Amino acid sequence: MGRARFITLEGGEGVGKTTNLEFVERHLALRGVRFVRTREPGGTRLGEAVRDWLLGFEAVAPEAELLLLFAARAQHLDTVIRPALRSGQWVICDRFTDASYAYQGGGRGLDPQPIAFLERWIQDGLEPDLTLLLDAPVEVGLERARGRGRTDRFEAEALPFFARVRDAYLERAARFPNRIKRIDAARPLPEVRAEIARYLDALLDP
Ligand code: Z5A
């Protein structure tokens, strides 16, 4: 099976990350893969505290938001992601640095250069092996997300914010086609899952 792999799931609100993460877990478990499932922001006590702050409704400056996310990411890499990979366990992570480019860069309009600097510094060359980008028109995702009846600080943003987030994700996918696989998440779930399974199988049996 080779070395442990690092898989991330990305996309705008309500595209189905959580739903499809469960599918990824089942698929890997059936193939006998040992893995850790985690998320960003989150995955550690510090990360969960940052998550509470950022998803809450207190105003946070965009720069502070970016720095908090990378502070949480540093802790996450140090105490969860790198140790798991070193011990031979795969890591499946709900969002990672592509989300910082999409939300803080695209959505909030921050310069991508400081993001790239933080990425180089904190990750020191560690990149996901595979990023599944679940992509759907903004209206489709928002309708699904809002159907769940709860809203956080990001979900309360206006439509143009989510359009910028989506554009930034698509730009990243065009720039890193070997790593980031765009999946049309507006399709019925069985079709989305069949495509995800193909990408996972390609990692398992290169
Ligand atoms: N954030 C950031 O700004 N910068 C960063 O660097 C990082 C994060 C790492 C928290 O993320 C916030 O953090 C996020 C960006 C910011 N913004 N927000 N909000 P999150 O991942 O926790 O939040 P989220 O995007 O809202 O994820 P979610 O709420 O869990 O949504 P989801 O996982 O994409 O969707 P879901 O719950 O799986 O599906 C939604 C509904 O649609 C559900 O009823 C499903 O049954 C249904 N569904 C899913 N797929 C389908 C299909 N194919 N057909 C029909 N129905 C479907």
Side-chain angles (χ1 to χ4, degrees), residues 60-98:
V60 182
E63 292 80 0
E65 189 173 274
L66 178 70
L67 292 168
L68 283 169
L69 284 158
F70 269 96
R73 187 162 293 140
Q75 181 77 359
H76 197 202
L77 280 161
D78 200 51
T79 62
V80 176
I81 297 176
R82 289 188 200 279
L85 293 172
R86 269 198 302 269
S87 76
Q89 295 186 86
W90 291 35
V91 174
I92 311 164
C93 192
D94 189 345
R95 296 194 186 280
F96 193 63
T97 301
D98 292 305

Side-chain angles (χ1 to χ4, degrees), residues 13 16-19 51 73 95 100 104 148 155 187:
E13 331 306 306
K17 287 183 294 37
T18 307
T19 310
R51 182 183 188 88
R73 187 162 293 140
R95 296 194 186 280
S100 303
Q104 282 64 51
R148 293 174 311 201
E155 287 165 351
R187 292 172 301 167

Side-chain angles (χ1 to χ4, degrees), residues 41-63:
T44 65
R45 277 186 61 212
L46 176 68
E48 292 298 330
V50 165
R51 182 183 188 88
D52 287 345
W53 252 95
L54 295 187
L55 270 58
F57 280 91
E58 206 152 339
V60 182
E63 292 80 0

